[in-house]
Amino acid sequence: MLAYGLLAFGLSAVLAMVTWGVVSQYLTEQREQSAKFVTEDNAAALRFGLYGPPKPCQPAREHVECPTPTLQDGVTPMEVLNSLPSTDAAASMLYLDNHWYALTGQPSDLPPDMIQAAVAGTASQRRIQVGGQPVLAVAVPMGIKGDAFFEWHPLGALDETLRTLKYTLIAAAVATTLIGLAVGRLASTVALRPLAELAGVADAVARGKLDARLPAENDKDLGGLARSFNQTAADLERRVAADARFAGDVSHELRTPLMTMLNSMQLIQNHRDELPDAVREPVELLGDDLDRFRRLVIDLLEISRDDGGDRGSREIVRIADLVRAAADAAAGREVTEVEHEAEGLTLQADKRRLERVVANLVENAEDHAGGCKGVGVRTGGLGVVITVDDAGPGIAVEDRARIFERFGRGETSGRGRGVGLGLAIVARHVQWHHGTIHVTERPGGGARFVIELPAKTS
């Protein structure tokens, strides 16, 4: 776009300067010639009126001059000046026999050297200022030594014409530059549209929409790139689907032995007092690992369900009631505080997914961040804002985006003991509801997870 604009500006500037130079020079020369011809014609008419028709003169001897013409009887210079035809001259002045005769204008406004040259027999013209106005002064000898005729012609109309021409050329140059910028913008948009589509589809794939494809496979320029990208995206989609099926199959297969182990562990823990002291600690460690194993299997099932294309089902839910039930159940106590204005907010949601979002955040705070300090529901943002506060050391700024990735654990914040899937599931489910999630610092210390969802009042 900048290149088109600079090219248009350069061409229009060169064209404007050339046009200005040619036209202004032409108009000025035409005006000067017209003034000169008019002044010469008036001088000839004045000479005829003063002296009559010219008489032929052939001296009888060499170095003998013809007699000087004399004024006609009954003729005065002012009468002849008055009889001159009307022209555009602003002033006419006659210098005759060392006397000035003028209808308008002051001889004192004429340059002295111009007067001397005209009296000496040399015609001239010059641009001067009279009363603050530009005029063209023209001096013509009368043909009799010592006599001269002067006129000045106004140049205001010429200057106004040139000024209008200058402004017009500047406006045309500016308009041409803007048109060049617009054409450049249009050309760049057309040229880069396929790349913009590629960037958009690539971003969609990166956000998990693996079925996104480029429609430009038949484009003569980008067809090969589009086909390669679509093939890569299709292979990725198949690989992710296969991995999801594998994770789901493995998780389903693990559920039966896991339930057996959990039931057995529960039975052992019910008889914990009967166990020898040396066995109790290993049993407790085994119980903790089995609980982590259970959560891992549940998370893998959840991830595989999403990756496998589970679209879920939407229904109208009261957000305050759902958050209160899920958060209090996950924490084992009342931790939810709902703003009065948020009590009536509803959302087209998948209850299972939304409950899992709240439960995961509360469990994450309980197990890895010193306990849940509170869950808040208020109006704002996209419609409703849900906050989950914990009592941990907080999350480092460099970890705040990474913790929402799969197996991305905040090592610097003391959250490294988790399997790294809970927050990834939270982010996926929030995105499924067209919401956003981010983490900040809680006033007083700890982390605050902030969820915004597009809710409305029922």
Side-chain angles (χ1 to χ4, degrees), residues 22-276:
V22 172
V23 175
S24 62
Q25 182 179 1
Y26 174 79
L27 292 178
T28 302
E29 289 178 352
Q30 289 296 311
R31 181 56 177 150
E32 290 177 352
Q33 290 180 4
S34 174
K36 179 182 177 181
F37 292 152
V38 169
T39 304
E40 289 177 348
D41 290 343
N42 287 341
L46 186 60
R47 186 168 50 246
F48 183 86
L50 291 173
Y51 304 110
K55 298 177 181 179
C57 173
Q58 293 183 354
R61 294 190 304 274
E62 191 176 353
H63 305 298
V64 176
E65 297 180 355
C66 293
T68 300
T70 58
L71 294 176
Q72 300 185 81
D73 294 337
V75 175
T76 63
M78 291 301 298
E79 291 178 351
V80 179
L81 280 174
N82 279 322
S83 67
L84 291 177
S86 299
T87 62
D88 63 350
S92 299
M93 292 165 285
L94 174 64
Y95 186 72
L96 181 67
D97 290 337
N98 297 323
H99 292 87
W100 283 99
Y101 302 92
L103 295 177
T104 56
Q106 297 293 331
S108 58
D109 292 329
L110 293 170
D113 59 333
M114 189 177 187
I115 298 174
Q116 294 174 4
V119 170
T122 302
S124 62
Q125 57 188 24
R126 186 181 303 176
R127 185 186 181 102
I128 63 175
Q129 292 280 337
V130 177
Q133 298 297 322
V135 298
L136 180 66
V138 182
V140 178
M142 290 290 292
I144 300 175
K145 188 175 182 180
D147 297 343
F149 179 64
F150 303 87
E151 282 188 342
W152 60 59
H153 301 261
L155 296 178
L158 174 63
D159 288 352
E160 182 64 26
T161 300
L162 295 178
R163 190 179 301 110
T164 301
L165 174 64
K166 179 175 66 176
Y167 292 152
T168 301
L169 292 175
I170 292 174
V174 173
T176 304
T177 303
L178 294 177
I179 292 174
L181 290 172
V183 172
R185 177 64 179 271
L186 178 62
S188 62
T189 300
V190 173
L192 298 178
R193 183 178 296 137
L195 297 180
E197 294 177 355
L198 174 61
V201 174
D203 181 67
V205 172
R207 287 185 286 104
K209 190 178 180 181
L210 300 181
D211 58 346
R213 297 292 184 271
L214 275 175
E217 291 192 0
N218 296 324
D219 188 279
K220 62 180 181 179
D221 298 319
L222 295 177
L225 177 62
R227 286 189 292 271
S228 299
F229 180 87
N230 289 343
Q231 182 63 40
T232 302
D235 293 342
L236 176 63
E237 185 179 17
R238 287 193 294 271
R239 175 63 62 86
V240 170
D243 291 345
R245 286 195 300 272
F246 175 75
D249 293 342
V250 170
S251 301
H252 279 290
E253 292 297 327
L254 289 175
R255 291 184 68 180
T256 299
L258 177 61
M259 292 302 299
T260 301
M261 288 187 289
L262 288 173
N263 290 333
S264 299
M265 178 56 63
Q266 185 64 43
L267 180 62
I268 293 174
Q269 289 178 344
N270 290 338
H271 297 277
R272 182 175 180 278
D273 294 338
E274 302 175 9
L275 297 175

